[in-house]
């Protein structure tokens, strides 16, 4: 199954992914809220990016009382049938990662649908922090990157202060 993988160590917080996602949603006439989020915490100097993980056993699928969520047969992405969605928000509540939201303008659930198999956010990411591929292959790449990342060991030692005055 293919997913959008976020390398949080590369993300620079430019929010290009959010802007293109908003534009893509607006172009489809189904909302103006992005389905990928970038949070910048200046106090802690952290950037956090999140989008739907397209879970294999997605709780949102079973939580929907009207069956408005289903897997796309081509992309295997969990997609929302906006015509069937009644806006109850059960899928929003059931997602343990908070990656489904209610689109305020049209009052239906919204989430990443992988742009039909070619996520636009991945295409515009200038820091190359977003990747699209098979979840297992991406996990292997992440493990290899973690092994190849040099570890910094700091050694602190006390230095005795010497008097500079001759006695």
């Amino acid at each position: 199954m293919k997913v959008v993988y976020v390398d949080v160590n590369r993300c620079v917080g430019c929010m290009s992914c959010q802007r293109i996602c908003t534009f893509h949603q607006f172009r489809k006439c189904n909302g103006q809220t992005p389905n990928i989020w970038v949070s910048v915490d200046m106090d802690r100097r952290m950037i956090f990016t999140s989008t739907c993980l397209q879970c294999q056993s997605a709780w949102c699928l079973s939580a929907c009382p009207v069956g408005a969520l289903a897997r796309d047969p081509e992309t295997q992405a969990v997609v929302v049938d906006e015509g069937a969605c009644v806006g109850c928000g059960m899928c929003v509540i059931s997602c343990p990662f908070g990656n489904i939201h209610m689109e305020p303008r049209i009052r239906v659930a919204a989430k990443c649908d992988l742009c039909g198999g070619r996520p636009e956010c991945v295409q515009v990411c200038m820091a190359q922090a977003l990747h699209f591929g098979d979840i297992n292959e991406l996990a292997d790449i992440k493990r290899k990157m973690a092994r190849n990342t040099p570890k910094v060991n700091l050694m602190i030692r006390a230095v005795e202060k010497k008097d500079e005055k001759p006695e």
Side-chain angles (χ1 to χ4, degrees), residues 28-156:
K28 290 188 336 187
C29 299
N30 66 343
Q32 296 180 359
T33 309
N35 295 321
I36 186 168
W37 301 274
V38 178
S39 301
V40 179
D41 185 343
M42 295 304 282
D43 294 334
R44 294 186 188 135
R45 293 189 174 119
M46 292 176 63
I47 300 170
F48 180 73
T49 306
S50 180
T51 189
C52 181
L53 303 173
Q54 310 298 342
C55 303
Q56 188 67 39
S57 56
W59 292 2
C60 58
L61 285 171
S62 58
C64 182
V66 295
L69 291 167
R71 281 220 187 263
D72 182 286
E74 287 182 35
T75 65
Q76 293 300 303
V78 176
V79 294
V80 179
D81 178 354
E82 292 151 4
C85 180
V86 294
C88 69
M90 293 303 292
C91 57
V92 176
I93 295 167
S94 70
C95 179
F97 306 105
N99 289 329
I100 303 178
H101 63 280
M102 295 303 292
E103 180 58 59
R105 190 172 68 83
I106 56 176
R107 296 188 179 118
V108 297
K111 59 173 294 308
C112 176
D113 61 0
L114 300 177
C115 297
R118 189 162 185 235
E120 294 187 30
C121 58
V122 175
Q123 308 301 317
V124 300
C125 182
M126 66 180 181
Q128 297 178 346
L130 299 175
H131 307 278
F132 179 62
D134 182 80
I135 192 165
N136 295 318
E137 291 172 10
L138 292 172
D140 287 341
I141 291 168
K142 177 72 175 171
R143 280 190 283 275
K144 286 176 187 172
M145 286 172 38
R147 278 193 298 257
N148 294 335
T149 303
K151 302 215 180 345
V152 178
N153 293 321
L154 297 176
M155 182 184 252
I156 300 173

Side-chain angles (χ1 to χ4, degrees), residues 14-28:
C14 70
M15 300 187 188
S16 293
C17 55
Q18 276 190 189
R19 286 196 276 294
I20 194 70
C21 187
T22 302
F23 179 73
H24 179 72
Q25 299 306 317
F26 184 74
R27 198 172 52 210
K28 290 188 336 187

